[in-house]
Structures are given as C-alpha cells and as structure tokens.
Amino acid sequence: MANMTATASEGIELTCGMSGRHRFIFTLVPVVYGFNFVIGVVGNSMVVAVIYRYMKLKAVANIFVLNLAISDLTFLITLPMWATVTATGYYWPFGSFLCKACAGLVIFNLYTSIFFLTALSIDRYLAIVHPVRSRRYRTVGYAHISCVLVWIFAFVLSVPTALTRDVHSIVNGTTVCGILHSKDAPRPDNLLLAISLMKSLLGFLVPFLIIITCYCLIGRALMTSRHIQKSVRSRDDEVLRMLAAAVLAFFLCWAPHQVVHFLQVLNQMKVLKDCSILDIIDTAMPFTICIAYFNSCVNPIVYGFVGANFRKNLLRLLCCAQRGIPLPHPSISSKMSALSYRASEALSLTTKSKTSSADSK
C-alpha cells in the first residue's frame, strides 16, 4: 500500500496514495490473473509430468527445471485469492495469516525462479567450458543439495516480507492486506528499506550479473572450440537456447516491476514526495505485477517451442492421455523394455535353432 496514517477510530486514512482510484484496474487485472492461473497450472503440471515420466532425472539441468516448475506451481495457487481481492477493490477477507503467507509466496517465487535460472546458467557454464574438471561436481547429489539450499535461502529471504504484511482497516471501511508506512516518520523504516533493496539486488541485479557473465564465458568458449563432436554440440546448444529464452522471459517479465519497485524505494527514502508521481506508481504497479506473474506460466511455453526433446516427450504424454493409456513408471518402463528385449532375443535364438535342425534333417 501507499503512505497511510492512523486516525482515532475510523481506521487508516490514505493521505497521498491513489491505489484504487482507477476503476478499470478492478476489472482488467483479475482477468489477467485468471489467465495466468489456468495457463500456468496446466503448463507447469505438464512440465513436471514430462520430466518425471520421460526425461532422465539423472541430468542436472532436468532437476533444476523440475524444481523451477514446482516453484511456479506453489505460487500460482495464490492467484485466485489475488484476483478476488483485486476484483473487490483490494478488500481482503482471508485474514491475517493468508495475507502474510500469500505476500511471502510472491517474493519466495521471485527468489526461487531467479536462483534456479542462475544455477542452470552456472551448470551450463561448467558443462561447456570445463566439461572434464566439472564432472566431479556436476552430479545428481550436488544438484539435489543445491536445490535444497535454494529453497531454504529463498524461504529465509521471503520471511521478512511475510512478517511486515498485515491486515489494515481503511477509513472507508475496506480491509486491505499491505504495509503501514508512517507519514510523520523522519526517516524510512530500516527493515522495510532493507527488504526493498534485497528484492532489487538479490532478486534481480546480482543474479543477472552472474547469468550474463556465464553467457559471455560460454560464448567465448564456443567460439574458440571447434573440435567438439557435433552430437554433443547440438545437445548443448539446445539446452543453451532453452535456458537463454527462459532467462530473457524472466527479464522481460520482471524488469518493469523492478523499475516501479525502485521508484517505490525512492518514495520510502523520502526522495519522491509528489502525490502525482505516487499516483503514477500506484497505477502502474498492478500491471507490472501482472506482467511479472506471467513469468510463472511462460516457462512451459519456452520449453515447448525451443526444446525439441521436451516437445517430443510432451507429445508422447498427450498421446497416452488421449488414448487413455496409463503412464508407466520410468523404472517399470525400463524393466519392461529389458524384458521385451530378452524375450525377442530368446525368440530369435529359438527360431535359429529350429532352422538349423531343419537344415540338418
């Protein structure tokens, strides 16, 4: 929320922020949230199913992509609540706990998404630039440990956001989920300012510097090494293109929100005080949030268009579902393949023995 001051008995009075003045926000934003929810849940569920059923979880990149899809799904379950709240003029009927939990999940998804993309970039750098030396580190065990650390670190970073959110009563009788900023405070709240700066630095700028550095080193290595086998190069190039598209999508989705969020930080630091500028910030914020939330459903689209291997396995999944064929567990499928191979081998040996015995007669 914008700057708010407490009154004696009527609740909180908005002194400058104009959130809610533009009525079209209450119609357009919930529709976008609903679209993001449907597309995101369906798409990320397919990603989880395809990777679990058909693609090897022994590949480090697949483990990170699977965790990224699970992260998006955990966030997407909150979108129906945000759509309901926006459609009712930011009225929050779900209580204090869900206010804190949903706000925390938004930031949690921001951190997990960028951290898993960063981990994927580092993995591609090690696989392409240092394929031999990195073999001892690029294992399934280390990948699982890295995922656990990402989940824990992102959770720790999102806890302060959850704790600072609460339910507040506005002077017009509306109950909202937001942050209370004091109008008369001589300086900004240090905790809120630290949370905002962490969101900009750890949730956007620092990971992107790491990702860009990895890509520059990968590009230089690919330009200088022409002796790599064609099959290996094609596989690395496909994963690299898919990762580049996912990183670009994250940047395009989150950059507008980060710009508006930075303007909010300037407002917290008392650099921006003009109510007309704050009106622009409060009006733009819901739409930049819509674009940012769209990132949770764009990753499956990226995998489908860029990743040929993922697209092939997705078609297998859809064909089995359309025909009503139960999807076999990967271990069962591999055992059945081995048994069928042994059966065909035994059948060929029997045929050969019968033919040889017939020739001897």
Side-chain angles (χ1 to χ4, degrees), residues 54-69:
Y54 298 114
M55 302 177 75
K56 293 185 298 183
L57 279 178
K58 295 181 179 179
V60 175
N62 289 342
I63 294 174
F64 288 134
V65 171
L66 178 65
N67 280 268
L68 179 60

Side-chain angles (χ1 to χ4, degrees), residues 40 43-52 55-76 105 108-120 139-154 295-296 299-300 303 310:
N44 285 287
S45 298
M46 287 184 175
V47 171
V48 173
V50 167
I51 293 178
Y52 180 74
M55 302 177 75
K56 293 185 298 183
L57 279 178
K58 295 181 179 179
V60 175
N62 289 342
I63 294 174
F64 288 134
V65 171
L66 178 65
N67 280 268
L68 179 60
I70 295 174
S71 166
D72 289 335
L73 284 173
T74 57
F75 158 71
L76 286 166
L105 275 176
F108 181 72
N109 175 254
L110 164 68
Y111 285 124
T112 51
S113 296
I114 190 63
F115 290 164
F116 282 127
L117 290 174
T118 305
L120 277 164
T139 62
V140 174
Y142 279 118
H144 286 303
I145 293 174
S146 300
C147 291
V148 171
L149 292 177
V150 166
W151 288 106
I152 295 175
F153 189 44
N295 180 250
S296 295
N299 285 331
Y303 304 148
F310 177 83

